[in-house]
Amino acid sequence: MLTPSFNISQTNEHLIINIQAPYTQLKDVEINALESEFWFYSSPYFLRLHFPCEIIGEDEPPASFNVDKGEFEIRLCKKVTGQHFPDLDLLGTLLAPKKQEKTIKPSIEVVSGSLEEEEEDDDEDVDEWLIDQELPPTQAETEVLFNAPKYGFGNLTHGVFRQVKSEFQEIIDLPEPDTTPAAQREELRKKEEDRKFCSDHYLADYMESEVLEEYLVYSPPWLSKAFGTVKLTDVEKESLKKLGNKEFLLSKEDKVAVWLSLVDIVFAYAYNHRTTLGENTVESAWTINKLSATLSWFANHSSIHGVVVSCFRRLLTYSLYRHWDLAQLVLKDTISILKLGRRQVLKCLLEVHSLFNHSEPRYLLNQLYISDYCIWLQRA
């Protein structure tokens, strides 16, 4: 669990807690307050605070979330109006204490009644919430992180996996995202692809190509469309509206990487669409995540040739159907999608966004890449 950055202010009636949680999954938010304690959970963040005075207990205190800032604002009512809560700026003292070591008891013990057992159960329930917490990085540590390798849309993000890497290992193949330079990522990725490539699987698909026949002859909907004819549905428009709007300050080099990574992501989407005949499966999110070097290795592509090679390597190494003709068809699909313009690309990305939102913990990939792509493409 990651302890989020937070600060606390107060009025005569309320405590106001502002929690920075930019990579949160909103559907999983849990907030509770009881006596002098406060709990906040929203994967991958957890915060428990002990206040010096009592607050009014609430299962769901009033809270709001600022999407642009990635910040929660939570208001707790003081039990005694006008009471001053001291030392709210000493954040370390507010964090919940670490678990107390339990006393070892005999394995067999005679007790006189059920009261003691109930008290022990209550203690265990409380202990479940006593998770070790650490304050977020200091300013000096943040400056060090600022110079660390970057990733995400336009290489605008860093330090995300410093404390929560274990929770996202299943979606990121790059072992150390926050310490591995971009150039080294490519070297490590190619070594891993070489190691994972299975010649037997490839030859089996090549020799039994009739198994893939329905996917090879399938005609996806974008092949029958023309530039300028693609329309967004009301649902898609509403999804874009929810993503909001912001500006991106990208260098020339980062803009090139953004466009090339878009090819990488659309290729992965096109493979999934063709091999599911347009009907997504429970494996679709995994497939797109795995086939895209951008999403699984935070790849920074520098040429269109390099992107295509990467796409083919990953399709022939990780996909269920590993066939050269299929890879060529998916590449043609990718070109067709891109030629139809931003609206068709947005349709694809919004579909990926929905898949990732329903595939824990791939929602993080939306926050690192897909959401920003959807916002940026509308103005690119």
Side-chain angles (χ1 to χ4, degrees):
M1 292 292 182
L2 177 63
T3 303
S5 297
F6 67 97
N7 62 74
I8 305 172
S9 58
Q10 61 181 310
T11 65
N12 283 336
E13 298 179 348
H14 297 95
L15 292 182
I16 304 169
I17 307 175
N18 294 94
I19 300 175
Q20 293 288 332
Y23 304 107
T24 190
Q25 179 73 313
L26 290 177
K27 68 178 182 179
D28 295 331
V29 177
E30 294 183 24
I31 305 173
N32 291 281
L34 178 65
E35 296 179 349
S36 62
E37 296 187 1
F38 166 80
W39 297 268
F40 169 87
Y41 169 76
S42 183
S43 179
Y45 302 98
F46 174 80
L47 181 66
R48 182 182 182 181
L49 302 175
H50 282 284
F51 295 117
C53 308
E54 289 194 7
I55 52 179
I56 296 176
E58 294 182 86
D59 287 338
E60 296 182 358
S64 60
F65 183 72
N66 187 314
V67 176
D68 293 333
K69 294 182 179 180
E71 180 180 278
F72 286 92
E73 181 178 291
I74 302 163
R75 289 180 172 266
L76 305 177
C77 294
K78 294 180 178 180
K79 189 169 185 178
V80 179
T81 301
Q83 184 176 28
H84 178 73
F85 282 49
D87 300 330
L88 293 181
D89 58 331
L90 302 179
L91 303 183
T93 63
L94 301 176
L95 295 178
K98 296 182 178 181
K99 287 186 178 182
Q100 300 295 322
E101 293 186 3
K102 294 185 178 181
T103 303
I104 299 176
K105 297 182 178 181
S107 57
I108 300 177
E109 183 177 359
V110 178
V111 294
S112 57
S114 61
L115 179 60
E116 184 175 338
E117 294 176 1
E118 291 175 0
E119 289 177 350
E120 288 180 3
D121 289 342
D122 290 342
D123 290 341
E124 290 178 1
D125 291 340
V126 171
D127 282 348
E128 289 180 0
W129 290 95
L130 291 176
I131 297 173
D132 292 351
Q133 301 181 103
E134 296 180 1
L135 284 172
T138 63
Q139 183 174 353
E141 291 172 326
T142 302
E143 290 175 358
V144 172
L145 284 174
F146 184 77
N147 296 317
K150 296 178 176 61
Y151 40 81
F153 177 86
N155 289 315
L156 298 174
T157 308
H158 59 86
V160 173
F161 299 92
R162 193 175 67 91
Q163 292 177 282
V164 295
K165 183 180 66 174
S166 61
E167 298 188 28
F168 299 104
Q169 281 180 334
E170 68 177 270
I171 65 172
I172 308 298
D173 290 342
L174 179 61
E176 298 291 341
D178 289 315
T179 58
T180 308
Q184 192 176 348
R185 292 177 210 164
E186 182 177 8
E187 179 184 347
L188 292 173
R189 173 174 60 82
K190 289 181 177 179
K191 285 182 179 179
E192 182 67 8
E193 290 166 355
D194 290 341
R195 189 177 71 86
K196 290 287 188 177
F197 179 76
C198 178
S199 56
D200 290 341
H201 190 144
Y202 177 77
L203 287 172
D205 283 357
Y206 179 77
M207 298 299 293
E208 301 175 4
S209 57
E210 64 274 6
V211 176
L212 285 76
E213 186 64 25
E214 63 177 333
Y215 308 125
L216 296 175
V217 301
Y218 173 69
S219 180
W222 49 76
L223 294 183
S224 60
K225 296 179 181 179
F227 180 80
T229 63
V230 180
K231 304 293 183 183
L232 296 174
T233 66
D234 290 339
V235 173
E236 290 166 341
K237 291 176 183 177
E238 184 63 26
S239 296
L240 290 174
K241 180 181 176 182
K242 289 179 180 178
L243 291 176
N245 187 26
K246 57 183 175 181
E247 293 188 17
F248 301 95
L249 299 177
L250 302 177
S251 66
K252 183 178 180 180
E253 182 181 12
D254 287 336
K255 285 182 180 179
V256 171
V258 164
W259 282 114
L260 294 176
S261 285
L262 180 62
V263 176
D264 170 304
I265 296 169
V266 172
F267 182 93
Y269 165 85
Y271 169 87
N272 173 72
H273 185 95
R274 179 172 283 276
T275 57
T276 61
L277 304 179
E279 298 290 336
N280 290 317
T281 70
V282 293
E283 297 296 331
S284 291
W286 179 93
T287 299
I288 296 170
N289 179 185
K290 197 71 173 181
L291 293 193
S292 168
T294 297
L295 300 178
S296 56
W297 277 89
F298 299 159
N300 274 333
H301 302 291
S302 57
S303 69
I304 191 63
H305 176 266
V307 176
V308 174
V309 170
S310 171
C311 291
F312 273 52
R313 283 173 63 93
R314 296 192 72 76
L315 186 152
L316 299 176
T317 301
Y318 295 106
S319 66
L320 178 59
Y321 305 111
R322 306 174 189 180
H323 197 283
W324 184 261
D325 291 345
L326 177 61
Q328 290 182 310
L329 274 177
V330 173
L331 179 60
K332 291 180 180 179
D333 289 338
T334 304
I335 295 171
S336 297
I337 291 171
L338 295 174
K339 281 185 174 181
L340 287 174
R342 73 181 73 186
R343 287 173 179 79
Q344 182 61 52
V345 177
L346 281 169
K347 280 179 170 289
C348 300
L349 292 179
L350 287 171
E351 188 174 333
V352 173
H353 191 278
S354 177
L355 287 170
F356 285 174
N357 260 354
H358 293 87
S359 177
E360 187 90 13
R362 290 184 176 84
Y363 69 86
L364 180 68
L365 296 175
N366 283 339
Q367 297 173 4
L368 288 175
Y369 288 98
I370 307 302
S371 295
D372 285 348
Y373 262 113
C374 290
I375 296 170
W376 176 75
L377 266 177
Q378 296 176 69
R379 304 174 63 179

